[in-house]
Amino acid sequence: MADVLADLGHLFLGSRLKRLAERLQADAAKVNKAMGVDAQPAELALLAAIDQLGPLTISAAVESLGVSQPAVSRTATGLVDRGLLTTESDEADQRQKTLKLTRSGRALVAKAKEAAWPFIAEAVRAMCAPLEGTLLEQLTALEGQLNERPLETRALDIAKSHRDTLAIRDYSDDLAQSFYEINAEWISSMFTLEKKDIEILKNPRKTILDDGGFILFVESAELGVVGTCAVMKVDDGVYELTKMGVLESARGRKAGELLLQTALARADAMKIDTLYLLTNSKCAPAIRLYEKLGFVHDKAIMKKYGAAYARCNVAMRYRAT
């Protein structure tokens, strides 16, 4: 059947561009869903704007996204209802509301930036790279590529080829030795195993699991179990992210980031009041990752819990909102 919008050329260019945009958007939504990013394209666009620019008023979001105020307001309301955004009255203008990412919102954006967006972008770049000729000719070529192979298929194939398959595993007793060895490797390479380290690493079930905490592992299809971390109860409503490490041989595979994202999602589901970690300034790459996923430096945490380890000179708290 004839393609009427293509045949009529410039007359219905707007309709044709809208059709293409909706097609790309629908496929991108499928990729996000397949990679565990639970949000619609309009929602992700607003979350991305706030992630990139910081807290925004509705008016500022409208300006940054170039869409209508009613559309932004509807999207923001839905995201607030889902717990991904919070609103605060603007000090200069009480009629204006400032939109901020919550902890869950930051975690969702971090997951999208890691698990889906790079592969969507690479797939679109690859389709656009060979385009030549007039705008209409380029549109025809781009539509032809999508007919031949949808964006969804292209992006997911790229994701599969770009990284080793990583999977998260919960603790089981057969992984007790891995829990010890992975942590002993990184601690011993930079510091000295302390009494508290040994107590936790040799008795993970007693010190962590039996008191309501959890231990996760990340497993590489190529290398096996390569990383671990734990969330351990310290006081009522207070938990410590601890014993997080990735084997030296597995660095650069984003295993640590996947591990931390999963641990934070699990902690969110537990409705933990305070989640903190203790580390050392020598662990600069790890600190940057913690900051990226929502931890902030906290003097009160340092004062109250920092003495647990002689090597501790950095304390961080996971932001509640």
Side-chain angles (χ1 to χ4, degrees):
M1 185 176 292
D3 185 339
V4 175
L5 295 184
D7 291 344
L8 292 174
H10 294 95
L11 178 61
F12 285 99
L13 177 60
S15 297
R16 192 176 180 189
L17 289 172
K18 182 181 179 183
R19 181 180 71 180
L20 177 61
E22 289 174 347
R23 186 173 183 179
L24 291 171
Q25 196 173 59
D27 266 9
K30 292 176 184 177
V31 176
N32 283 310
K33 183 177 180 179
M35 305 306 276
V37 181
D38 182 22
Q40 295 302 308
E43 294 175 324
L44 289 170
L46 180 55
L47 292 173
I50 298 171
D51 175 67
Q52 182 172 329
L53 302 174
L56 295 174
T57 62
I58 293 289
S59 297
V62 167
E63 185 176 350
S64 67
L65 294 171
V67 296
S68 69
Q69 182 162 336
V72 171
S73 296
R74 284 194 302 271
T75 301
T77 297
L79 291 170
V80 170
D81 290 343
R82 292 181 58 194
L84 299 173
L85 290 180
T86 59
T87 59
E88 296 179 1
S89 297
D90 187 84
E91 294 182 1
D93 184 353
Q94 292 297 310
R95 296 170 300 176
Q96 285 274 20
K97 299 292 185 182
T98 299
L99 304 172
K100 296 177 63 178
L101 292 172
T102 64
R103 182 168 63 184
S104 296
R106 288 193 299 274
L108 180 65
V109 172
K111 186 172 187 178
K113 290 196 289 189
E114 167 63 23
W117 292 353
F119 310 119
I120 294 170
E122 185 170 341
V124 175
R125 278 196 300 270
M127 287 191 295
C128 291
L131 297 180
E132 296 179 345
T134 66
L135 176 58
L136 292 179
E137 289 170 339
Q138 291 184 34
L139 286 176
T140 298
L142 186 54
E143 289 171 333
Q145 290 191 63
L146 289 170
N147 290 335
E148 178 183 332
R149 197 156 155 254
L151 173 62
E152 176 191 8
T153 303
R154 294 171 184 269
L156 292 177
D157 283 349
I158 290 170
K160 185 177 180 180
S161 66
H162 267 54
R163 62 185 183 185
D164 179 21
T165 301
L166 298 173
I168 296 296
R169 293 180 59 182
D170 282 291
Y171 179 88
S172 58
D173 288 333
D174 62 304
L175 292 172
Q177 189 63 26
S178 294
F179 184 64
Y180 185 96
E181 291 175 354
I182 291 170
N183 279 291
E185 179 189 91
W186 79 261
I187 295 172
S188 299
S189 69
M190 303 177 71
F191 310 103
T192 300
L193 276 172
E194 300 181 28
K195 181 179 179 180
K196 187 175 180 67
D197 292 316
I198 296 171
E199 178 187 359
I200 294 172
L201 294 178
K202 287 192 172 182
N203 302 284
R205 185 168 290 281
K206 178 182 177 181
T207 57
I208 299 172
L209 300 176
D210 289 349
D211 205 21
F214 62 86
I215 301 171
L216 298 177
F217 295 85
V218 59
E219 185 174 33
S220 158
E222 181 182 348
L223 300 175
V225 172
V226 297
T228 186
C229 74
V231 169
M232 179 175 69
K233 185 177 180 181
V234 177
D235 291 315
D236 287 341
V238 180
Y239 288 72
E240 180 185 355
L241 178 80
T242 187
K243 300 300 172 278
M244 178 168 172
V246 174
L247 292 175
E248 183 70 31
S249 59
R251 302 283 166 82
R253 295 169 183 256
K254 299 288 186 179
E257 188 160 352
L258 175 61
L259 191 62
L260 182 56
Q261 287 172 344
T262 307
L264 295 179
R266 183 80 61 91
D268 281 336
M270 293 170 63
K271 308 296 184 183
I272 290 173
D273 294 330
T274 301
L275 178 65
Y276 73 88
L277 63 86
L278 305 173
T279 187
N280 185 282
S281 54
K282 289 183 180 180
C283 304
I287 291 172
R288 287 195 294 270
L289 176 60
Y290 298 142
E291 291 170 340
K292 175 182 176 181
L293 295 189
F295 281 90
V296 294
H297 296 262
D298 193 297
K299 292 181 180 178
I301 293 293
M302 184 67 190
K303 182 177 180 180
K304 188 170 184 179
Y305 299 108
Y309 295 96
R311 63 179 176 269
C312 174
N313 64 6
V314 174
M316 306 179 78
R317 175 180 52 83
Y318 192 44
R319 292 179 290 189
T321 59

